[in-house]
Amino acid sequence: MLKTVFLSGLLSLFTCSAVCAADAPVVLPIPVVTPPQPAELTLIRQQQTTGLPDEIREWMQQKAIPEANLSAYIRDLNANAPLLIHNENVPRNPASTMKLVTTWVALKLLGPAYTWKTESWLRGELKDGVLTGDLILKGYGDPFLTDEAFREMLHDLRLKGLKEIRGNLVVDNSYFNLPLQDPAAFDGEPSKVYNATPSALMYNFQAVRLLFEPDELGKRVKVTPFPTIPGLQVDNQLKLSSGGCKKAHYRPGVQREGNVVKLVGSYATGCGQNFILRVLSSPEENVFHAFRDVWHSQGGVFNGQLQTGVVQQGDLRFHTHESRTLGEQIRFVNKWSNNVMARHLFLTAGAHTGGEPATLEKARAAMSGVLEQAGIQLDGMVVENGSGLSRQERMSTRQLGQLLEAAWRDPYMPEFMASMPVLGEDGTLAKRLDDTELRGRSHMKTGTLKDSSAIAGYMLTRSGKRLVVALVYNGNGAGSGVQDALLEWAFEQ
């Protein structure tokens, strides 16, 4: 279709209008194009830098909020100096605003059109739709191999003629080389998806979907896991309550001990059908269970077992699935603060610059290289995994602000900015300041841990200035309140 439109448009250039002589030749002028010269950055405003405004200081004193816990960096992108600075050089835990660094580095190194591949290899003979041997699935770190994409990939195998597998499923995760990690180490919640560890072949963020719905009699809650885990017993202690649906009504407690998953809490009839995602098996097991269930649902035959291994000489590449582009995927990373996706971007950047397999050391080297090239000082910066889900990561608001300034003047700025939540409208900022005049005026990334609250991005002020804003509060309580007060102050500048 695109080719047809292009050709018809091209032919129209050679179609004479009614005012042309019948036999007159068509002459197309050839313009002389002078390549544009790069312009020097022009700062059109002189700016005097200030510290915390008096009204903010007074508000913090009234709330007993220590000024030492707050760092701030606010700058007009067309001014010669910051508008406001406060403890701007103090390295602090940036929480999930670290994802801004990771996504921008990935854009710079890979480009927004970059895609990840997931390969299917045959080990054995394929004849009349029957594979006498093993099917190997090799991952290259696709962060968004969701259930929909996974089903499409297996459907493509069926379309290519594979119907029955008389062997095993081999999962090749060798593209990532990571030390063993305890998913419970961060906060003792190993089943929460935000604690999922990276895996080169990652199905649906490593998660099992638990589908809830009231039964036909309205007396109990039915629970349906997908993919199914053989031998897993569900100890369903959920209580069905009447009334409307609140968030707590479909966020039950999930605990796994051996082959038993215990569900506790309440579920309201008003919630209807709803689901949660929980990590209940290893990455390889999750892929295997999903493959078995989806393959059977599509009419395929498979009764083999799970094996882990690598593609070997003599194996035949049968199919390559291509992911969504990086430009699309960073929207999920930043708008919804997806930790494991951010970690996949981080590792992919490392493999791109340092070669495979991806390691944390290569990823950190790739990030520091991009930041140094952008002129960002790295003093005091600590990067653990690139997601912000860390007790060790550190960054100053000046460094975060400088990153945003560099990104603003980068060719990929539109993709980067559009990946952030819109204040008061979507993502993690959907309810933030949504009843004020600030709604829709900022693209910003949030970050929240037990002892860290942060927000950073771009603001369009009431007067039409475009500001870079980086606010980080480390300490207990009131972090978001201080940030909102500063956002409202900045909006009026």
Side-chain angles (χ1 to χ4, degrees):
M1 178 63 72
L2 288 175
K3 184 176 180 181
T4 303
V5 172
F6 173 76
L7 287 175
S8 64
L10 185 63
L11 289 172
S12 70
L13 293 175
F14 298 92
T15 302
C16 191
S17 68
V19 298
C20 293
D23 297 322
V26 177
V27 179
L28 296 179
I30 302 176
V32 178
V33 179
T34 303
Q37 299 300 313
E40 293 185 2
L41 177 64
T42 302
L43 300 174
I44 62 175
R45 279 188 282 271
Q46 298 294 314
Q47 181 69 60
Q48 185 173 355
T49 304
T50 184
L52 287 179
D54 291 340
E55 59 266 35
I56 300 295
R57 290 183 184 276
E58 292 173 4
W59 185 86
M60 294 179 70
Q61 290 172 3
Q62 292 173 3
K63 301 290 185 180
I65 302 171
E67 291 183 17
N69 290 1
L70 174 68
S71 288
Y73 181 93
I74 302 176
R75 182 168 186 161
D76 179 349
L77 281 159
N78 286 311
N80 65 333
L83 169 63
L84 180 151
I85 54 174
H86 177 76
N87 293 331
E88 74 282 2
N89 293 316
V90 177
R92 297 194 188 275
N93 190 328
S96 281
T97 56
M98 178 60 75
K99 292 181 176 70
L100 293 176
V101 187
T102 299
T103 51
W104 186 66
V105 167
L107 275 174
K108 290 293 291 178
L109 290 176
L110 306 172
Y114 180 87
T115 57
W116 287 261
K117 294 177 173 57
T118 302
E119 297 174 343
S120 300
W121 294 72
L122 307 182
R123 181 175 296 164
E125 182 183 11
L126 176 62
K127 185 177 181 181
D128 297 330
V130 177
L131 172 63
T132 305
D134 300 331
L135 177 69
I136 305 113
L137 297 182
K138 180 175 176 61
Y140 289 88
D142 182 359
F144 203 71
L145 189 60
T146 59
D147 184 61
E148 179 183 6
F150 194 77
R151 288 174 183 274
E152 177 186 321
M153 180 176 73
L154 299 196
H155 182 62
D156 288 342
L157 298 184
R158 299 271 294 143
L159 290 177
K160 285 190 170 183
L162 182 59
K163 300 177 181 178
E164 181 178 350
I165 302 165
R166 295 179 180 175
N168 297 315
L169 181 72
V170 181
V171 175
D172 184 345
N173 268 331
S174 61
Y175 192 70
F176 287 174
N177 183 12
L178 301 173
L180 290 176
Q181 301 172 65
D182 179 6
F186 183 75
D187 61 359
E189 295 280 1
S191 71
K192 293 293 182 68
V193 178
Y194 62 74
N195 276 323
T197 55
S199 173
L201 183 59
M202 178 178 69
Y203 164 74
N204 219 34
F205 316 119
Q206 318 290 22
V208 172
R209 183 192 67 198
L210 297 174
L211 181 69
F212 304 109
E213 59 182 332
D215 67 3
E216 295 78 3
L217 300 176
K219 294 184 178 181
R220 57 186 294 273
V221 185
K222 293 195 300 183
V223 181
T224 307
F226 182 88
T228 56
I229 301 175
L232 185 71
Q233 301 175 31
V234 178
D235 181 8
N236 183 3
Q237 297 186 17
L238 291 174
K239 296 181 179 179
L240 187 63
S241 60
S242 60
C245 184
K246 296 181 180 180
K247 186 176 181 179
H249 289 152
Y250 55 94
R251 293 292 184 271
V254 180
Q255 300 174 341
R256 179 171 183 179
E257 296 181 3
N259 289 327
V260 178
V261 172
K262 183 179 179 181
L263 304 175
V264 296
S266 63
Y267 192 85
T269 55
C271 292
Q273 188 180 88
N274 228 309
F275 72 92
I276 62 171
L277 298 176
R278 288 294 184 268
V279 178
L280 299 177
S281 54
S282 72
E284 293 81 9
E285 289 171 336
N286 200 45
V287 169
F288 175 77
H289 297 150
F291 176 86
R292 179 203 58 225
D293 287 359
V294 174
W295 189 251
H296 289 165
S297 73
Q298 294 181 352
V301 178
F302 171 70
N303 295 302
Q305 302 299 314
L306 167 66
Q307 291 185 350
T308 58
V310 297
V311 172
Q312 300 174 358
Q313 187 175 3
D315 295 338
L316 174 67
R317 183 163 51 197
F318 183 65
H319 177 68
T320 300
H321 172 81
E322 210 160 345
S323 74
R324 293 188 184 213
T325 66
L326 172 65
E328 294 176 272
Q329 296 212 29
I330 61 172
R331 293 172 65 88
F332 298 107
V333 174
N334 284 333
K335 284 189 179 289
W336 300 105
S337 207
N338 191 302
N339 290 305
V340 72
M341 287 184 71
R343 297 176 73 173
H344 274 228
L345 265 62
F346 184 60
L347 291 164
T348 302
H352 178 78
T353 57
E356 58 179 277
T359 66
L360 289 171
E361 291 75 16
K362 292 175 184 177
R364 292 168 188 145
M367 178 176 283
S368 63
V370 172
L371 297 181
E372 286 179 335
Q373 189 174 13
I376 299 170
Q377 298 296 320
L378 304 183
D379 297 345
M381 187 183 295
V382 178
V383 179
E384 183 182 7
N385 57 46
S387 74
L389 190 73
S390 167
R391 308 293 183 195
Q392 285 75 46
E393 291 191 326
R394 294 292 183 274
M395 195 175 188
S396 72
T397 52
R398 180 179 290 276
Q399 290 166 331
L400 192 50
Q402 288 175 340
L403 171 97
L404 291 165
E405 292 165 19
W408 180 258
R409 298 182 174 95
D410 187 81
Y412 298 143
M413 179 277 291
E415 287 82 2
F416 180 63
M417 182 173 171
S419 74
M420 302 180 204
V422 180
L423 185 63
E425 301 219 356
D426 69 3
T428 57
L429 283 176
K431 300 298 182 181
R432 187 92 169 253
L433 296 171
D434 61 336
D435 58 350
T436 72
E437 293 182 272
L438 278 71
R439 176 174 178 168
R441 305 280 292 193
S442 299
H443 286 75
M444 292 186 167
K445 177 76 191 76
T446 58
T448 305
L449 294 174
K450 183 179 179 181
D451 54 359
S452 179
S453 177
I455 190 168
Y458 304 105
M459 170 185 284
L460 183 64
T461 69
R462 185 189 297 278
S463 63
K465 297 176 183 176
R466 181 73 71 177
L467 304 183
V468 156
V469 178
L471 309 173
V472 180
Y473 184 91
N474 282 180
N476 293 325
S480 60
V482 176
Q483 294 162 15
D484 287 354
L486 279 167
L487 291 176
E488 290 175 337
W489 175 86
F491 179 67
E492 301 297 342
Q493 303 310 303

